[in-house]
Amino acid sequence: MSKLTFNTDNCKGCGLCVDACPKKILRLATEKINKKGHHPAEIIDQAACIACASCALMCPDVIITVEK
Amino acid sequence: MSEKVLMKGNEAIAEAAIVAGCRHYFGYPITPQTEIAAYMAKKMPKIGGTFLQAESEIAAINMVYGVSSAGLRVMTSSSSPGVSLKGEGLSYLAGADLPALIVNVQRGGPGLGGIQPSQSDYFQATRGGGHGDYHMIVLAPSSVQEMAELTVKGFELADQYRMTAMILADGTMGQMMEPVALDDLKVAPMPAKPWATTGTGMKRPHNIVNSLFLKPEELEKTNFERYERYAKIQATEARAEEYRMEDAEIAVAAFGIAARVSKNAVDEARKMGIKAGLIRPITLWPFPNEVFRKAAGHVKAMISVELSMGQMIEDVRLASECRVPVTLCNRAGGMIPTPEQVLEAIVAAAKGGC
Amino acid sequence: MIVFQKPKALTDAPFHYCPGCTHGIIHRLVAEVIDELGIEGKTIGIAPVGCSVMAYDYFNCDMIEAAHGRAPAVATGVKRANPENIVFTYQGDGDLASIGMAETVHSAARNENITVIFINNAIYGMTGGQMAPTSLPGQVTQTSPYGRDVKACGYPIRVCEMLSELEGPEYLERVTVNSVANVRKAKKAIKKAFQNQIDGKGFSLIEVISSCPTNWGMTPQAALKWIDEKMIPYYPLGVYKDRSAKKEEEAK
């Protein structure tokens, strides 16, 4: 089973991971605000994740860890 | 007795640098110091060192910055217009507390000026040369032997205090040939440099060589700390030669080639019955304030002899606390005062005509 | 099993870059390459002046902050002092292609055995979006408010093409990081540039077409699209020089 972990505190809410995800299972949590004042990225369907790491490859702040 | 060899001042600097353990030289051709580069080009490849003719003075000083960051002894040399170009690098070296030896074999200015000897970079050298609050240790040789000795000393002081040292010579000193006893040069072992960027070896946290401090409190702290070090240098490292000063009534202040000319004039004045003496600063920064302060207690007047429009004279006035009149005896633009001109100034001062 | 995590060659310091700025991706690629080659302990990085001025806080290897544009000269000094070190510079377009052009050209001409990571985002980011030597014709910036007028300020400089005319450099490649596929290609290029240095082959420069959403006045997504639509047509991706490959080809 795949697992994505976000270092949410360091997310700047740029959304590049959201666009990179081939399964379209990431989103910016518009109802949340992190310490930096951004809407952090999160996964909405962990089970659908294929651990391709596309999100992590596009994340400019290196906040995503991908496990399989 | 050690063997003496006949050398040009510029060559003595180059050879002394090698003796001091310098194995990296970067430079750009400019008259009247190119012999240093030529000497290094010949010698360095034979002893496993680096000679590199840089694309500019700016590149050369930044290559120096790189080698110094890596913890090794390194030097560059140039002449006045080239040293202006190095100003940026000198400021960065100061900001990052990096040791290095810089040689300025001065020529007349401003601008492209001329290629004849000058001392008109005194302000530039003793006040730092680039932007920001900082100093360099500035050494002023007055013989070819001293060109060699002060080169070694420069490397040692630079390492000891983690700052740049400059040899402030002039075209005459660079081109002059005199016998030199290189065997007499003694070199202290290089201090450890745990701050150097040589690779962490995965054994320590990373070292950072840097002059950027965006928080003003931090930047202020680095400045205060640096100036504490400068105060220590001012208290311990100032050097001057005093010649016939014991009973002198007229003190001539001169460094480098001007001091040699002045020495002759002092002797001539003595023959005429005028009690003249010479104070020759060997360190221009730190300036030997104490020597001048003491002299001001017993002389009637001071004369600053310079190959410039009068730059050291300001330090002479400050050091003597304006207790005696200080006059200027100078030539500029590549001209050198004659002993007769200096003698005239001494005679005038003795008559109280200043 | 961990498929992806932050490379060890990066410190824990969060990047100060704007949201969506691709500097972070490129930092990470450099760090991944350092990890994979096992060279962190002997690597020295040289940071520039510009947005990545504080790169020294982000890499775990020894770091030096250079004066604006002088990183290749500093790198030359470091490499000549300790040739066993792996030395890289990380420079933006203003640093490398404007104020430091002489240092760039001459270190390439000397085939200095260093690795240069060149970030081309066609703008001065740190100072707030002024015209860069690589700003496109017509590009609106703070100092070209009516669009870059090539009659008045000349044409953008294609660094890889220009350097490829030199005999000196070993490897020149232009890549970008605006998609997953391009990020993978960029990493391959950066790895080659470091490997070349390890193998003693000489000067390798990787130009990375990068985005500046803030100063381009776009969303991060639109900025990546702008790279495809505007930047790459002017700055085509590809290998501009590979001396070793050419030699091998000739040997065949």
Side-chain angles (χ1 to χ4, degrees), chain B residues 287-303:
Chain B
F287 196 70
N289 291 315
E290 193 52 26
V291 177
F292 283 93
R293 202 185 61 80
K294 273 188 196 155
H298 64 83
V299 302
K300 288 196 300 192
M302 293 191 185
I303 302 160

Side-chain angles (χ1 to χ4, degrees), chain B residues 10 22 35 51 66 83 87 97 103 106 128 135 145 159 161 165 170 191-192 198 212 273 309 323 332 339 347:
Chain B
N10 284 336
C22 171
E35 289 86 359
F51 164 81
V83 175
D97 295 315
V103 178
Q106 299 164 94
H135 281 291
Q145 180 69 32
D159 277 340
Y161 294 107
D170 63 69
T198 52
L212 178 70
M309 291 310 293
R323 284 189 286 161
V347 171

Side-chain angles (χ1 to χ4, degrees), chain C residues 27-165:
Chain C
H27 278 21
R28 192 195 74 228
L29 295 181
V30 170
E32 285 175 359
V33 165
I34 290 172
D35 280 3
E36 287 170 21
L37 295 172
I39 53 173
E40 185 191 314
K42 59 175 179 176
T43 296
I44 319 291
I46 324 280
V49 172
C51 279
S52 47
V53 66
M54 283 178 289
Y56 54 77
D57 276 338
Y58 304 138
F59 291 97
N60 268 321
C61 57
D62 276 356
M63 294 293 293
I64 299 171
E65 213 303 297
H68 200 17
R70 317 299 174 217
V74 175
T76 298
V78 176
K79 190 70 181 179
R80 299 286 179 122
N82 292 319
E84 70 281 6
N85 282 152
I86 302 301
V87 185
F88 77 92
T89 71
Y90 188 102
Q91 303 172 259
D93 40 56
D95 193 89
L96 181 140
S98 190
I99 198 165
M101 185 60 108
E103 285 78 1
T104 303
V105 170
H106 284 272
S107 55
R110 287 193 303 268
N111 197 27
E112 208 64 54
N113 193 23
I114 58 172
T115 303
V116 176
I117 308 299
F118 166 37
I119 313 306
N120 179 0
N121 61 7
I123 203 137
Y124 282 79
M126 184 62 119
T127 44
Q130 296 79 27
M131 188 183 74
T134 51
S135 292
L136 297 175
Q139 189 177 335
V140 172
T141 73
Q142 201 182 68
T143 51
S144 56
Y146 310 110
R148 180 176 186 148
D149 175 4
V150 293
K151 277 190 206 139
C153 20
Y155 291 86
I157 296 169
R158 294 183 180 101
V159 170
C160 279
E161 286 86 333
M162 188 187 73
L163 294 180
S164 69
E165 290 298 313

Side-chain angles (χ1 to χ4, degrees), chain A residues 7 10 12-21 28 36 38 51-68, chain C residues 1-7 10 12 14-25 28-29 32 177-180 183-184 220-221 224:
Chain A
N7 180 357
N10 287 348
K12 292 176 189 154
C14 71
L16 292 187
C17 58
V18 176
D19 289 4
C21 178
L28 294 181
K36 288 179 185 287
H38 300 292
C52 68
S54 294
C55 54
L57 283 175
M58 287 309 292
C59 173
D61 291 285
V62 209
I63 66 155
I64 305 172
T65 305
V66 187
E67 288 168 272
K68 204 173 180 178
Chain C
M1 190 186 76
I2 288 172
V3 178
F4 185 99
Q5 65 183 339
K6 189 169 185 170
L10 285 181
D12 290 333
F15 296 142
H16 69 278
Y17 302 110
C18 302
C21 165
T22 45
H23 262 304
I25 297 178
R28 192 195 74 228
L29 295 181
E32 285 175 359
V177 288
N178 68 342
S179 68
V180 171
V183 167
R184 289 187 203 279
Q221 290 72 16
L224 296 190

